[in-house]
Amino acid sequence: VTSERDRGLLLGDGLFETVLWDGGRPVRFEAHADRMARGCALLGLPRPLAGDLLGAAEAALDEAGLRASRAAVRLTWSAGEGGRGLDRPGASAPRLLASAAPAPKPEGPARLITAAVRRNEGSPASRVKSLSYIDSVLARAEARAAGADEALMLNNRGEVACAAAANLFWVRDGRLFTPDLACGVLDGITRAAVIAAAERDGVASEVVRAARPVLDGAEALFLTNSLIGVRPVSALDGARFGAHPLVQRLAVAAG
Amino acid sequence: VTSERDRGLLLGDGLFETVLWDGGRPVRFEAHADRMARGCALLGLPRPLAGDLLGAAEAALDEAGLRASRAAVRLTWSAGEGGRGLDRPGASAPRLLASAAPAPKPEGPARLITAAVRRNEGSPASRVKSLSYIDSVLARAEARAAGADEALMLNNRGEVACAAAANLFWVRDGRLFTPDLACGVLDGITRAAVIAAAERDGVASEVVRAARPVLDGAEALFLTNSLIGVRPVSALDGARFGAHPLVQRLAVAAG
């Protein structure tokens, strides 16, 4: 149970991570703990101890009976109570919450539409996993209403940013591209793993600021996040994309 | 107490209103209930009944012993539990929370700095009071760190939008201006009251899209929200502003 005075609830003031558990072990747990610590520095909150995050995750898995399953653990680090309106208290006392749920693999490639809702490239909160997620909720709802699985989000400059709950990559002229974090993009853990895997594959990833039409010339698109790994995109705004050997290799290497 | 599965806490998925109670009565209560209903339509949530909002507010005031005081009632309409990740459940079951706190009048005029954090003009959530408020929390923190009271927020186009928790007006060449809602601005209830009061005063308000330098030529600036009414600005980024007769008249007429 959570206090009704919790700033996470009242103001979306806090952070979260979603960690995949597979075969009884967390995937890239340290990277999640590190990212939450960086988010805390950016938002001005005390950081959680990595050991506390792990303990809470394991307790949530045990409670849900999912310790040996493919499961998603949601770790929430709320700013806690106190302060006056927007102003934080003199000393923040964040609260840690954890929950676990089964994490089935996604069913095949994703169909995307471009959402009307934009990412806020002018806020540092767009580059961390803050609790203020309404823009992504609205973008996803747009996609669902259009019969799609996920939304492509542009920023206010019209640049390609990411999906509602995933990073985006594309292949064009045999080269691999993903938007710069300055486009208002979460510093994705699987995004970094894909960039590293591509480099081992001899493919340099190009981190770019590019407007929406760049995707019209793409040979392949794919999404990444900690739960889906690498998920190919089969359609964007009606344009279709087939399987691509580089995407298949990266799915194996970084998924 | 609130569920840890509440989408308001997990995703900032929901809305709120802050209503002033003065002399035992709410100020512009119907306007707050109407705005929350419009916000629900925009976010795709069922709307609360105005009578339920009023009942919850009165219960919170009674519990806090503030029924006869100048008090702020915070009404929170969270999207509730359910759904899978970003996806809402088939039928949302929002939850209503209410709390009351004393609402002293602000002490004198406000000192502002221009925040680095921008408003997201490309999201409809910037025009309603959603629970995803982290950008305003960060902007206010910037202002406090600079020794100021409030933050001026620009949008990603560099246009003047609003303060972290207030609408903004300025007087220039004897005319009254406020940013267009399309700049990423909350449809403020006191903002509308000031526009109406100015019209009765014979002053037409001009709702504009204007870049930051427009304020360098302003004779006066002021903030509006339901708790502060009309609050003059004494400084913006070090530039000073004195008392202005139009602002004083509007503070009386619409405060």
Side-chain angles (χ1 to χ4, degrees):
Chain A
V1 295
T2 297
S3 162
E4 295 187 1
R5 291 190 297 271
D6 186 276
R7 296 175 62 86
L9 172 64
L10 298 177
L11 297 166
D13 189 4
L15 293 159
F16 73 101
E17 290 289 331
T18 306
V19 185
L20 178 65
W21 238 261
D22 202 12
R25 300 178 58 179
V27 178
R28 302 187 181 109
F29 189 84
E30 286 302 320
H32 286 283
D34 286 351
R35 183 169 67 184
M36 187 172 267
R38 293 196 305 275
C40 285
L42 197 144
L43 297 192
L45 292 173
R47 64 177 59 185
L49 298 174
D52 290 348
L53 292 175
L54 187 60
E58 290 175 337
L61 285 161
D62 287 343
E63 194 185 353
L66 292 170
R67 188 70 169 256
S69 307
R70 195 174 190 280
V73 175
R74 156 100 188 199
L75 293 162
T76 301
W77 186 244
S78 157
E81 295 189 18
R84 190 179 154 77
L86 299 186
D87 291 315
R88 292 239 185 83
S92 289
R95 291 184 62 249
L96 174 60
L97 311 171
S99 63
K105 292 197 178 182
E107 295 172 9
R111 294 156 300 160
L112 269 59
I113 56 103
T114 303
V117 178
R118 301 294 176 103
R119 291 285 289 190
N120 187 6
E121 71 273 21
S123 172
S126 292
R127 298 187 282 280
V128 300
K129 283 184 90 74
S130 94
L131 299 179
S132 288
Y133 234 61
I134 191 71
D135 291 342
S136 289
V137 170
L138 294 176
R140 174 67 65 80
E142 279 188 59
R144 293 296 189 190
D149 303 302
E150 237 306 24
L152 166 67
M153 296 183 75
L154 311 178
N155 66 20
N156 288 281
R157 290 190 294 255
E159 296 163 340
V160 172
C162 52
N167 287 108
L168 181 82
F169 286 80
W170 66 94
V171 181
R172 189 174 162 146
D173 301 329
R175 294 151 64 195
L176 184 62
F177 299 87
T178 194
D180 194 292
L181 300 185
C183 294
V185 172
L186 177 68
D187 187 4
I189 289 167
T190 309
R191 174 181 181 273
V194 163
I195 291 172
E199 191 169 337
R200 292 193 299 273
D201 197 277
V203 179
S205 300
E206 302 180 47
V207 176
V208 295
R209 291 165 67 153
R212 168 68 182 81
V214 78
L215 300 179
D216 294 333
E219 297 149 33
L221 268 69
F222 62 94
L223 307 178
T224 65
N225 74 29
S226 295
L227 297 188
I228 63 178
V230 169
R231 186 180 187 191
V233 171
S234 61
L236 169 62
D237 298 329
R240 304 195 137 274
F241 299 91
H244 192 284
L246 174 60
V247 180
Q248 291 171 319
R249 289 200 305 277
L250 292 172
V252 172
Chain B
V1 292
T2 297
S3 162
E4 295 187 1
R5 290 191 297 271
D6 186 277
R7 295 175 62 86
L9 171 63
L10 298 177
L11 297 165
D13 190 4
L15 294 159
F16 72 101
E17 290 289 331
T18 305
V19 185
L20 178 65
W21 239 261
D22 202 12
R25 300 178 57 181
V27 178
R28 302 186 182 110
F29 188 85
E30 286 302 320
H32 285 283
D34 287 350
R35 184 169 65 183
M36 186 173 267
R38 292 198 305 277
C40 285
L42 197 145
L43 297 192
L45 292 172
R47 64 177 60 185
L49 298 175
D52 290 347
L53 293 175
L54 187 60
E58 290 174 337
L61 286 161
D62 287 343
E63 194 185 351
L66 293 170
R67 189 69 169 257
S69 307
R70 194 174 191 278
V73 175
R74 155 101 189 200
L75 292 162
T76 301
W77 186 243
S78 158
E81 294 189 21
R84 190 179 155 75
L86 299 186
D87 291 315
R88 292 239 185 82
S92 289
R95 293 183 62 247
L96 174 60
L97 310 171
S99 62
K105 291 199 178 180
E107 294 172 10
R111 293 156 301 159
L112 269 59
I113 57 102
T114 303
V117 179
R118 302 295 177 103
R119 292 286 289 191
N120 188 5
E121 72 273 21
S123 172
S126 292
R127 299 188 282 279
V128 300
K129 281 182 92 72
S130 94
L131 299 179
S132 288
Y133 234 62
I134 191 71
D135 290 343
S136 288
V137 170
L138 293 177
R140 173 68 66 80
E142 278 189 57
R144 293 297 188 190
D149 303 302
E150 239 304 26
L152 166 67
M153 296 183 75
L154 311 178
N155 65 21
N156 288 282
R157 289 191 297 255
E159 296 164 342
V160 173
C162 52
N167 288 109
L168 181 82
F169 287 79
W170 65 94
V171 182
R172 187 175 165 147
D173 302 328
R175 294 149 67 195
L176 184 63
F177 299 87
T178 194
D180 194 292
L181 299 185
C183 294
V185 172
L186 177 70
D187 188 3
I189 289 168
T190 309
R191 175 181 180 272
V194 162
I195 291 172
E199 191 170 336
R200 291 193 302 272
D201 197 277
V203 178
S205 300
E206 302 180 47
V207 175
V208 295
R209 291 165 66 153
R212 167 70 183 79
V214 77
L215 300 180
D216 294 333
E219 297 150 33
L221 268 71
F222 62 93
L223 306 177
T224 65
N225 74 28
S226 294
L227 298 188
I228 63 177
V230 169
R231 186 180 187 190
V233 171
S234 61
L236 169 62
D237 298 329
R240 304 195 137 275
F241 298 92
H244 191 284
L246 175 59
V247 180
Q248 292 172 319
R249 290 201 305 278
L250 292 172
V252 172

